[in-house]
Amino acid sequence: MTLSRRQILKYGTFATAGATLFGTQSLLAPHSHAATTLTGVTYLPDSYKALTYGSNRFVEMLQESGGDALTVEFYDSGQLLKVDEQLPALRSRSIDFMFHTFSYITRSIPILGVTGLPGVVGELYRHPERLRQGSPLMELINEVLAEDNLYLLTSGGGILEPEYLWSTEKSPIRSLDEVRGKKIRIVGFEATQAFEPYNVGAARIPSSETYMALQRGTVDAGIFNISTIIGRSLQEQLKYCYKLPITGFSVAPFMLRDTWDNLDDDVRGVLQQAADWYDENFIEYCNNDIYPNEYWPQVEDAGIEIIEPTEEDLETFNAGVQDVWDHWKGEVGEEVGSRAIALALGEA
């Protein structure tokens, strides 16, 4: 039987026999050439113009600067691996790097949850420098990731504009009280926990299936970053945006720690140069350029009503997140969790 490239990767990801057959190197790494070959993936399609801006340029920089030292094979739009396949593929060495959304993998990599904690995201959004390369918070995150043989090259220079509550005309959410009893599409674990006291029906629906879920009434609302709204044309199914900052995330490049450490100096230098660019430009471009100048005008043109939360709603919501923080600190350890939150809030 002849296997496609995707099948080879998929089987290599989930079958231990692949590790025995191919050893510790990437399944696709050529053994007969001097150049290092790195295979990378993202599940995001090009319709996510803002989110793929950074990864596209990152890969271009590797290709432009790699010379004879580095060859890059990159697959976007889930061509090679679906969203839930990426992390297992990285860990099994079937791929060498991936761009991933933090909120999808905080259950597998709990330390990343600090970027999505309700009550913390607003501060991180207003102070992106706290997640820049070399910052104490980034150093702490990578110290914890190293224990799992993972390495975050860069957060992208902060987190994206927070995710808000978007709802349909039939089931409006214009205040915190109107959240109660609604069926809401939620991906991030931290956001799911934050809404448990409101008796919501939380549904973890992939972004690719959300348009139909809203259209059919499977869910009444969703917690979305504006990139998801525009990237999936969800403004066609929504009527209200309740701008309560609930959770947040970034999209960033990951490698295995030992893969990074064992790279030739020249190859590591090429990757670091691309990571430096990503750190300086990705979040800055999304939050301060394409979102205010292109995406939010499209939302307004679609007739979506934008509702700012009252001070009372903000205080009520933030007052209820301590249980979420405590649960998260229980996953990462009290000392690490307390330190990470303090760094994110600018208190350490």
Side-chain angles (χ1 to χ4, degrees), residues 52-331:
T52 57
Y53 159 80
S55 56
N56 287 343
R57 182 57 189 151
F58 181 97
V59 172
E60 287 175 358
M61 291 183 70
L62 299 186
Q63 293 168 337
E64 292 168 1
S65 303
D68 294 332
L70 176 63
T71 301
V72 180
E73 298 178 349
F74 188 68
Y75 300 87
D76 62 11
S77 308
Q79 296 177 72
L80 199 58
L81 295 165
K82 297 177 182 178
V83 57
D84 291 332
E85 297 172 342
Q86 287 192 181
L87 183 58
L90 182 69
R91 284 175 161 156
S92 71
R93 304 179 189 275
S94 300
I95 58 173
D96 302 295
F97 69 96
M98 67 175 185
F99 284 87
H100 217 308
T101 305
F102 290 177
S103 56
Y104 273 101
I105 51 177
T106 57
R107 297 301 293 141
S108 300
I109 311 176
I111 188 61
L112 297 177
V114 68
T115 64
L117 288 175
V120 172
V121 294
E123 280 293 297
L124 280 179
Y125 173 58
R126 287 187 290 272
H127 296 278
E129 71 278 2
R130 294 175 188 168
L131 266 175
R132 296 294 296 271
Q133 284 185 341
S135 69
L137 181 55
M138 270 295 293
E139 293 295 319
L140 176 60
I141 289 172
N142 267 321
E143 285 176 18
V144 176
L145 290 179
E147 297 172 4
D148 201 21
N149 195 29
L150 293 170
Y151 180 55
L152 175 59
L153 279 72
T154 164
S155 71
I159 62 169
L160 295 163
E161 183 180 51
E163 293 186 286
Y164 304 126
L165 254 173
W166 304 70
S167 55
T168 62
E169 187 170 11
K170 291 182 178 179
S171 299
I173 296 175
R174 294 159 296 196
S175 68
L176 193 55
D177 191 60
E178 289 185 334
V179 170
R180 299 183 185 280
K182 292 292 197 298
K183 296 174 293 183
I184 301 178
R185 181 263 190 185
I186 310 177
V187 171
F189 178 71
E190 294 74 25
T192 302
Q193 280 191 307
F195 278 104
E196 282 183 356
Y198 297 91
N199 193 33
V200 304
R204 190 181 187 275
I205 300 173
S207 59
S208 59
E209 300 173 17
T210 303
Y211 188 100
M212 293 301 295
L214 289 165
Q215 187 178 61
R216 293 170 176 171
T218 305
V219 291
D220 305 310
I223 296 174
F224 303 112
N225 170 269
I226 195 169
S227 278
T228 304
I229 299 297
I230 301 302
R232 297 296 184 183
S233 300
L234 301 183
Q235 70 272 20
E236 298 174 3
Q237 296 297 327
L238 296 165
K239 180 61 178 177
Y240 303 97
C241 173
Y242 179 50
K243 292 187 73 173
L244 179 71
I246 298 166
T247 188
F249 63 88
S250 185
V251 180
F254 294 81
M255 298 184 74
L256 293 182
R257 181 77 223 195
D258 61 4
T259 297
W260 171 262
D261 290 341
N262 291 325
L263 290 171
D264 293 341
D265 289 345
D266 289 346
V267 174
R268 193 185 303 113
V270 171
L271 280 160
Q272 187 61 59
Q273 182 183 35
D276 291 346
W277 176 90
Y278 197 88
D279 198 73
E280 294 173 5
N281 292 279
F282 173 59
I283 292 296
E284 172 71 20
Y285 168 74
C286 292
N287 288 346
N288 298 322
D289 187 349
I290 192 169
Y291 287 175
N293 298 325
E294 185 174 335
Y295 281 12
W296 280 107
Q298 288 184 51
V299 166
E300 293 169 0
D301 289 345
I304 291 178
E305 182 180 344
I306 299 169
I307 303 107
E308 296 287 344
T310 64
E311 286 298 322
E312 181 181 359
D313 273 4
L314 285 170
E315 292 175 4
T316 299
F317 182 71
N318 288 333
V321 301
Q322 188 61 51
D323 288 345
V324 181
W325 292 12
D326 290 343
H327 185 277
W328 178 75
K329 285 190 284 186
E331 292 187 326

Side-chain angles (χ1 to χ4, degrees), residues 11-27 31 92-94:
Y11 295 153
T13 298
F14 299 109
T16 56
T20 303
L21 177 62
F22 293 100
T24 59
Q25 298 185 16
S26 169
L27 294 178
H31 296 276
S92 71
R93 304 179 189 275
S94 300

